[in-house]
Amino acid sequence: QVQLVESGGGLVQPGGSLRLSCAASGSTLSINAMGWYRQAPGKQRELVADITSSGITKYADSVKGRFTISKDNAKNTVYLQMSSLKPEDTAVYYCNAVVVVNIDGVTVDYWGQGTQVTVSS
């Protein structure tokens, strides 16, 4: 079992910055990757960025060059630094952890409770 606690959302003006944090606890040694997804009203949840246990990152095209994902292994925490925010970045942001549950490599997804990010003037 892995528990994820997010923080850092809020209201920001267009062009501004925010940093989201996601702290993992529990069976953290079994985490294969962590990432951030977002869901805007009326839209499907989409991947924003993720980072593997070896540090390989992936970004949605819409955030490349503006968002940076990073992790602190000692704190079991992943961060999403968001800059040059746009109104279309407004969404609930969810932390995700992909956890290996057996020796065959089967994985299970764990989710945080979500944090609201609103970009508006």
Side-chain angles (χ1 to χ4, degrees), residues 66-79:
R66 300 189 298 122
F67 291 10
T68 301
I69 191 168
S70 61
K71 63 187 178 86
D72 184 330
N73 291 328
K75 296 181 179 180
N76 293 316
T77 298
V78 65
Y79 304 97

Side-chain angles (χ1 to χ4, degrees), residues 7-114:
S7 60
L11 172 65
V12 64
Q13 291 186 341
S17 299
L18 277 176
R19 189 177 80 155
L20 305 182
S21 300
C22 174
S25 60
S27 302
T28 57
L29 291 179
S30 300
I31 294 177
N32 192 42
M34 292 185 70
W36 291 93
Y37 287 69
R38 67 186 181 187
Q39 187 167 19
K43 295 188 176 182
Q44 289 189 331
R45 191 174 296 188
E46 61 176 2
L47 174 69
V48 177
D50 65 16
I51 183 166
T52 68
S53 56
S54 57
I56 298 172
T57 59
K58 180 172 62 182
Y59 296 91
D61 288 342
S62 59
V63 307
K64 284 181 181 176
R66 300 189 298 122
F67 291 10
T68 301
I69 191 168
S70 61
K71 63 187 178 86
D72 184 330
N73 291 328
K75 296 181 179 180
N76 293 316
T77 298
V78 65
Y79 304 97
L80 185 69
Q81 178 66 48
M82 305 184 293
S83 303
S84 302
L85 282 160
K86 305 175 181 180
E88 50 264 44
D89 295 317
T90 296
V92 178
Y93 284 70
Y94 296 91
C95 180
N96 166 264
V98 179
V99 178
V100 178
V101 296
N102 64 29
I103 60 172
D104 294 323
V106 174
T107 61
V108 171
D109 283 295
Y110 287 86
W111 297 92
Q113 78 282 3

